Amino acid sequence: MTRPLARVGIPGVPSRQRTPRNGVTCPYCFESVAPHRILFRCRGQAGRRQGCAPVLDEALAAYTGSTAGASLPPVFTSGGKGSGRKGRAECPGCGLATGNRACPECHNPLPSAYCDSPGRIVALVGAKNAGKSTYIAVLLHELMNRVGTELDASLVACDDRTIERYKRDFARPLLEERRLLPTTASAATGPREPLVYLLTRTRRGRFARPRNDSLALVLFDTAGEDLRSREVTDLHLRYLEAADAIVFLVDPLELPGARTGVRDAVPAPHGAGDDPDSEPLNIIARVTDTLRQRHGTRPGEPLPVPVAVALTKIDVLRPGLLRQSALHRSRSGSGVLDLDDRDAVNEQVRALLHDWQAGQLDTYLGQQYADHALFGLSALGGVPERDRVGAGGVRPYRAEDPLLWLLYRFGMLDGVRPGGP
């Protein structure tokens, strides 16, 4: 008789990873905003509707660095009458009710779905050649399609800017035209738009009644050089301080020990080994210092932020791994997190790091973070050909694993051990 899957909680952690902070963190300027401070924006004039006329929004123009697109109907406070807490308020200028909310600091829109759901900011960090933009493009595509179907989940953009940026900068060039994405531009050249999505899962509760669990997900990628300058980091990367989770992408070809078996098959990344500031451990240490300032933790006290560390481009390394390696197996795709598989992959990647003389990376993470997990994935699934995706097209391998683990940590995904304890 087949034993049922045993659902497993997270040892020492409540069903939710932690209680969401009070208020809302703006997904654009990453300022923490109390509910009563959230602004509303007038609906404006449209057709026969006599709303307020557009005016230059100086705060929004300052954020974007341009007045283009910054002439909008005015913003206002809810007046302290409670209407703001209900998500609607009457414009004092024209009297029309509006549900359009805005950040009081940068005046960017705060989507209703984002304000009304437990927002989680996931910071994506890695050196210049780690493939962050490619990973974002593939991860979102998987969540909108194969993985979304598996999880009985929908992924919907919270604003038009997210829709446009995903199509223009990610989906069209990589998935449609099969062109490799350029490296991320430095934040010093101007503000970069985050991608803000609402992930909703339908789950069966007591008596098999369906319920929907929603999670606002903010993805923000960093340029490698942004993590090399203290001034740029302090000015442009406040999102690290607001992050609820970190995904570190590590290009294994940057680790000298990993290149031994693939030296002839894959060219070394440009400048590999020449710049100590691009080494994975140095980048992780810099981010860790930023997080410690936010949390106020003492030296030696583990940080509470869950950290996923993923070796990218694992397809290049898989031929050299033993056939019984966990990295040769695909996930079961059963809509839960297989904790036995998770443990096996974690131990396999840990062993690889030590074999490649990069074991101090794992040691450091264990010292600095209360919870970290190791992953191996491939966004493309094959070696690209110059500036284009390989002949087989985009064939991701376990690209969703870090996010599924974070959903488990956030209480949105069950963990199981096949066959029970």
Side-chain angles (χ1 to χ4, degrees):
M1 179 178 178
T2 302
R3 301 178 66 184
L5 296 177
R7 272 161 170 74
V8 181
I10 308 173
V13 179
S15 59
R16 290 285 172 184
Q17 189 262 346
R18 66 178 177 176
T19 302
R21 62 173 71 86
N22 292 329
V24 174
T25 298
C26 174
Y28 300 98
C29 71
F30 303 103
E31 184 73 20
S32 181
V33 181
H36 69 275
R37 292 186 59 227
I38 294 177
L39 301 179
F40 286 80
R41 189 177 294 280
C42 177
R43 295 168 61 194
Q45 301 172 349
R48 297 182 179 180
R49 188 175 67 216
Q50 298 299 313
C52 294
V55 294
L56 177 62
D57 189 323
E58 296 183 357
L60 183 60
Y63 171 85
T64 61
S66 171
T67 57
S71 290
L72 298 168
V75 294
F76 60 92
T77 64
S78 63
K81 298 179 181 179
S83 58
R85 289 191 294 272
K86 298 178 182 178
R88 295 187 67 80
E90 290 186 359
C91 174
C94 64
L96 294 178
T98 177
N100 299 332
R101 286 174 272 190
C103 171
E105 299 296 328
C106 65
H107 289 196
N108 274 289
L110 293 177
S112 297
Y114 180 79
C115 292
D116 299 336
S117 299
R120 301 286 188 178
I121 294 176
V122 177
L124 193 65
V125 179
K128 188 173 184 179
N129 296 306
K132 298 177 295 298
S133 296
T134 299
Y135 178 69
I136 286 179
V138 171
L139 175 63
L140 292 175
H141 183 265
E142 291 290 276
L143 288 173
M144 293 174 190
N145 295 278
R146 179 182 61 85
V147 177
T149 300
E150 172 195 334
L151 299 180
D152 200 7
S154 62
L155 186 75
V156 179
C158 285
D159 56 40
D160 291 340
R161 290 151 69 178
T162 291
I163 295 173
E164 175 58 28
R165 186 180 177 221
Y166 174 70
K167 289 182 178 178
R168 181 190 67 237
D169 297 343
F170 297 91
R172 186 176 298 125
L174 181 69
L175 302 174
E176 296 177 17
E177 301 171 0
R178 295 192 175 186
R179 291 186 288 110
L180 295 185
L181 300 180
T183 56
T184 302
S186 170
T189 63
R192 187 164 54 256
E193 293 291 318
L195 298 167
V196 187
Y197 287 92
L198 184 69
L199 179 69
T200 303
R201 290 198 66 209
T202 299
R203 306 173 72 186
R204 298 289 173 179
R206 296 185 61 185
F207 310 112
R209 293 176 180 174
R211 75 175 189 272
N212 291 331
D213 289 345
S214 296
L215 177 74
L217 183 65
V218 180
L219 290 174
F220 201 96
D221 59 321
T222 68
E225 53 266 41
D226 288 336
L227 298 173
R228 297 166 56 185
S229 165
R230 174 60 60 188
E231 292 74 19
V232 171
T233 298
D234 289 342
L235 181 62
H236 292 279
L237 301 184
R238 295 171 58 192
Y239 79 103
L240 285 175
E241 298 179 359
D244 295 278
I246 304 287
V247 176
F248 286 112
L249 295 184
V250 175
D251 181 357
L253 302 183
E254 295 279 1
L255 305 176
R259 290 198 52 79
T260 303
V262 297
R263 191 178 306 275
D264 296 330
V266 182
H270 179 68
D274 297 337
D275 185 357
D277 280 339
S278 68
E279 294 178 3
L281 182 59
N282 292 337
I283 291 176
I284 291 174
R286 191 170 291 111
V287 172
T288 300
D289 180 58
T290 300
L291 292 176
R292 285 201 175 281
Q293 293 181 39
R294 172 216 170 176
H295 290 277
T297 56
R298 299 185 300 272
E301 180 182 355
L303 284 160
V305 180
V307 171
V309 179
L311 298 181
T312 61
K313 307 173 185 177
I314 205 69
D315 56 284
V316 177
L317 303 172
R318 277 200 299 170
L321 303 177
L322 296 176
R323 292 304 307 174
Q324 61 267 35
S325 166
L327 291 176
H328 277 295
R329 299 195 302 262
S330 297
R331 286 192 315 105
S332 63
S334 56
V336 293
L337 183 66
D338 184 332
L339 297 177
D340 290 337
D341 174 75
R342 175 84 289 279
D343 291 346
V345 170
N346 191 76
E347 291 307 312
Q348 172 72 89
V349 174
R350 175 177 287 118
L352 288 175
L353 290 176
H354 285 271
D355 288 346
W356 297 335
Q357 294 81 52
Q360 61 176 333
L361 183 62
D362 178 55
T363 301
Y364 178 83
L365 290 165
Q367 294 170 340
Q368 302 297 322
Y369 294 92
D371 192 14
H372 79 280
L374 306 174
F375 301 83
L377 58 87
S378 174
L380 295 179
V383 179
E385 300 171 357
R386 295 188 178 181
D387 61 346
R388 299 191 63 81
V389 175
V394 176
R395 295 170 290 134
Y397 176 75
R398 304 193 76 138
E400 70 276 10
D401 280 15
L403 183 60
L404 294 185
W405 178 73
L406 291 176
L407 291 179
Y408 169 64
R409 300 298 300 168
F410 294 155
M412 280 193 68
L413 188 67
D414 290 331
V416 302
R417 292 198 181 277

